[in-house]
Amino acid sequence: MNYDIMTEQEINDICKKYNIENYTINPDGSIDVDGDVYLDFLNLGKLPLKFNYVSGDFRIYNNCITSLEGCPKEVGESFDCAKNQITSLKYSPIKVGTYINLYMNPL
């Protein structure tokens, strides 16, 4: 996904679709979320947005995601990407507050 060409309206529509609230759109098209992001059990092949900072939990558990591209650089609480098809930690968060769950990925 080319996150650089998304319009503000497209970002807003995606946030609404996935119930992402309390977010700020950054100049680079990434978003900061004051709260949690739950994208579990959605059969996603990749992240629908480019995240920068999430103050709470960031969960993408049980999807078909192969790359962590678009993941936040920093997660305030837990980062859960278990049960996906992730083969590399490239693009993983630089800082996570509590724990990281990578269970059942072909790393």
Side-chain angles (χ1 to χ4, degrees), residues 47 67-73 79 88-94:
L47 292 175
S67 169
L68 293 175
E69 185 173 8
C71 277
K73 295 176 186 169
F79 174 69
S88 167
L89 294 179
K90 185 176 182 183
Y91 306 112
S92 64
I94 297 167

Side-chain angles (χ1 to χ4, degrees), residues 10-21 23 49:
E10 288 171 322
I11 293 169
N12 288 328
D13 290 346
I14 292 169
C15 286
K16 183 176 182 180
K17 176 180 179 179
Y18 293 110
N19 298 312
I20 298 169
E21 300 176 341
Y23 62 91
L49 294 165

Side-chain angles (χ1 to χ4, degrees), residues 34-99:
D34 184 14
D36 302 319
V37 174
Y38 297 127
L39 300 173
D40 303 330
F41 298 97
L42 295 173
N43 202 32
L44 298 174
K46 56 189 166 191
L47 292 175
L49 294 165
K50 180 181 176 184
F51 294 89
N52 180 58
Y53 173 76
V54 174
S55 69
D57 296 326
F58 186 81
R59 293 186 1 194
I60 54 174
Y61 180 86
N62 204 3
N63 282 290
C64 302
I65 295 171
T66 58
S67 169
L68 293 175
E69 185 173 8
C71 277
K73 295 176 186 169
E74 186 174 340
V75 177
E77 296 295 328
S78 65
F79 174 69
D80 189 344
C81 63
K83 289 192 168 186
N84 278 286
Q85 299 301 314
I86 298 164
T87 58
S88 167
L89 294 179
K90 185 176 182 183
Y91 306 112
S92 64
I94 297 167
K95 183 177 178 183
V96 174
T98 56
Y99 74 89

